Every structure is written in C-alpha cells, then in structure tokens.
Amino acid sequence: MPRKTVWTDGQDAQIRRLRTEGASWEVVALALGLARLAVIERAREIGAERLPANAVAFLDESGREPLPAGHGDSWGAINRGTSLENVPFQTPGDIR
C-alpha cells in the first residue's frame, strides 16, 4: 500500500505556479517527484485542477537551435526560485 503524501505549502504553491505557466500534469509530477495521479488529486483539493484563463500557451520550439551555455533565457529558467537566481552565469575563465 502506498504511503500517504504529506503535502506542504511549498508543493501546493509549485503546483499552482506550474499550472499557471501551462505545465502538463506529467511535468508537474516530475518536478515534485510524485505520481501524476497523486498530483492531480492534490490539485483538485486545493482548487488548481484546471488551467487558469491567464495560463501561458505552450510554445513549440522543437525546431530551434540549442541556446549556448549561460544564455539568459536558459540560465534564468534553470535557476528561477533557487539561491542562484539573479546570479550571472560564469564560465571557468570568469571565476575569480
């Protein structure tokens, strides 16, 4: 029998944020490291089961070239919400 998940305010906020950004249930579950159905059930409990009207539409960029290391778009997305947020990317030659 699976263990009961003890939900935190941070997980609830992450569910709401990711859904507002247009993330699929698979992406939300992967970000939380939990089963898709568990995340969907929790979203129902907190009232975040549907994408809000202001949700970002998914942009298919599968054909574009990869961004270089440290590009502002990718670096910012990777570090958003972490202690490295707003810290500029440094290449090994830049480290002092």
Side-chain angles (χ1 to χ4, degrees), residues 64-95:
R64 75 164 173 76
E65 291 295 316
L67 299 173
H71 188 278
D73 291 342
S74 59
W75 183 249
I78 291 169
N79 295 303
R80 186 176 303 125
T82 71
S83 62
L84 291 176
E85 188 170 14
N86 299 320
V87 174
F89 177 79
Q90 295 179 345
T91 58
D94 293 341
I95 299 174

